[in-house]
Amino acid sequence: MASKKVLIVYAHQSSGSFNSAAKDAAVEVLTAKGCTVEVSDLYAMKFKATATAEDITGKVKNADHFCYGEETKLAWEAGKLTADITEEQRKLTEADLVIFQFPMYWFTVPAIMKGWMDRVLTLGFAFTHEKRYSQGIFKDKKAMLSFTTGSQESMFSANGINGDMNVTLWPLQNGILHYCGFQVLAPQIFWAPSHVPSEARATMLEGCRTRMQGLLEENPLAFTPLDCFDGEKGYQLKPEVHEKHAAKEFGLTVGTHLGKALPPNNQMKAGV
């Protein structure tokens, strides 16, 4: 892991929080392993969460019918994105691994972190129609979600009131990270730390520290490669791939499940 660069995108307002402790543990272990670690502390930075025309310096191409994706692509190409975006894009370009550290809000990331994704992962810089999913721009980089929940693990199960956590994670891990090409590492989930004794929180952090020791050598989660889909037929799974999996008990992934039972732990553990 020597000489690797790590970016931690961090979203919590309190330095006394468990999220802060998890972030600090990652910084400490990865730095000790020889990595260069940068932290984007979004609340401390007062990072702007809304994706608007204000993200572009100078005139836009079509002010009357403003399209954020197209306009920011042109601005990125011309070097006219605002300084806060270009700085985060610099960090991301240099990083071998990106860790998103946050408390789960309403089954997703906090608004300020979603704003980072909306504004930093611009069209052209992070993805194009041709370069996405397994052929994505960031296919040589790794990314991981590390987060706390407010509910205990049993509530995020296939039989639990919150539903299967694998389903909850699909839009974030497939629809954002893998879409941009990232190799997505299994998430680091801290189940309801505010509802357990301090000893249990300490055990959670120790488990995180242990994992960080070999994090960059981990195998990523499995996603169905882009070439398994027919672009001329609405990106439907190719018949030969469909036939190959016809007799199998589970679908390919949580999202591409072929009407079958969801593959267990598909978004939570590598190699399943």
Side-chain angles (χ1 to χ4, degrees):
M1 291 174 70
S3 77
K4 295 288 187 179
K5 291 191 175 183
V6 181
L7 171 62
I8 300 178
V9 183
Y10 168 65
H12 201 288
Q13 299 166 69
S14 174
S15 60
S17 66
F18 187 91
N19 274 274
S20 179
K23 176 258 297 176
D24 290 346
V27 171
E28 181 183 331
V29 174
L30 292 170
T31 301
K33 293 286 289 183
C35 295
T36 300
V37 183
E38 273 194 285
V39 178
S40 288
D41 186 339
L42 301 184
Y43 287 107
M45 294 158 61
K46 294 182 170 56
F47 191 81
K48 176 175 165 287
T50 52
T52 68
E54 295 171 356
D55 294 340
I56 297 165
T57 60
K59 292 182 178 181
V60 299
K61 182 179 180 181
N62 189 345
D64 294 331
H65 185 62
F66 181 78
C67 175
Y68 189 84
E70 292 299 327
E71 294 283 4
T72 52
K73 179 178 185 291
L74 294 172
W76 170 71
E77 291 172 343
K80 293 183 177 180
L81 290 171
T82 53
D84 60 340
I85 294 176
T86 55
E87 174 63 5
E88 295 307 298
Q89 289 183 339
R90 176 198 64 77
K91 295 175 187 176
L92 187 49
T93 298
E94 295 178 358
D96 298 294
L97 167 68
V98 184
I99 299 174
F100 295 89
Q101 182 65 55
F102 61 96
M104 181 169 271
Y105 284 4
W106 294 114
F107 288 42
T108 187
V109 298
I112 198 168
M113 181 172 282
K114 180 57 165 59
W116 187 96
M117 294 170 172
D118 289 348
R119 298 179 66 227
V120 176
L121 302 177
T122 56
L123 177 62
F125 167 73
F127 67 96
T128 67
H129 181 76
E130 296 78 21
K131 296 180 179 180
R132 51 183 172 160
Y133 290 119
S134 59
Q135 296 173 20
I137 290 172
F138 299 145
K139 62 185 179 181
D140 294 326
K141 300 179 185 295
K142 295 184 177 182
M144 182 183 78
L145 302 179
S146 178
F147 61 94
T148 57
T149 67
S151 300
Q152 59 201 51
E153 185 174 5
S154 62
M155 295 169 70
F156 275 109
S157 66
N159 297 316
I161 191 168
N162 290 348
D164 190 341
M165 178 59 89
N166 291 280
V167 175
T168 299
L169 291 173
W170 178 257
L172 292 171
Q173 295 189 153
N174 179 74
I176 300 176
L177 301 182
H178 178 54
Y179 190 89
C180 293
F182 284 110
Q183 300 172 48
V184 185
L185 300 180
Q188 180 71 41
I189 307 175
F190 302 102
W191 301 102
S194 61
H195 299 299
V196 298
S198 59
E199 295 81 2
R201 290 195 291 275
T203 300
M204 288 182 185
L205 282 176
E206 193 54 42
C208 173
R209 288 174 180 274
T210 299
R211 184 183 178 193
M212 290 291 156
Q213 294 285 342
L215 189 64
L216 277 164
E217 283 76 45
E218 286 186 7
N219 291 323
L221 299 173
F223 294 89
T224 310
L226 187 63
D227 59 12
C228 288
F229 299 89
D230 190 337
E232 295 182 359
K233 296 182 179 179
Y235 286 95
Q236 291 291 293
L237 204 64
K238 292 178 179 177
E240 59 267 30
V241 181
H242 208 294
E243 290 166 11
K244 182 180 177 182
H245 291 84
K248 297 191 177 181
E249 180 182 1
F250 300 110
L252 285 162
T253 60
V254 166
T256 312
H257 51 72
L258 312 179
K260 298 175 180 286
L262 302 186
N265 291 319
N266 174 256
Q267 291 299 293
M268 295 174 70
K269 294 181 180 179
V272 297

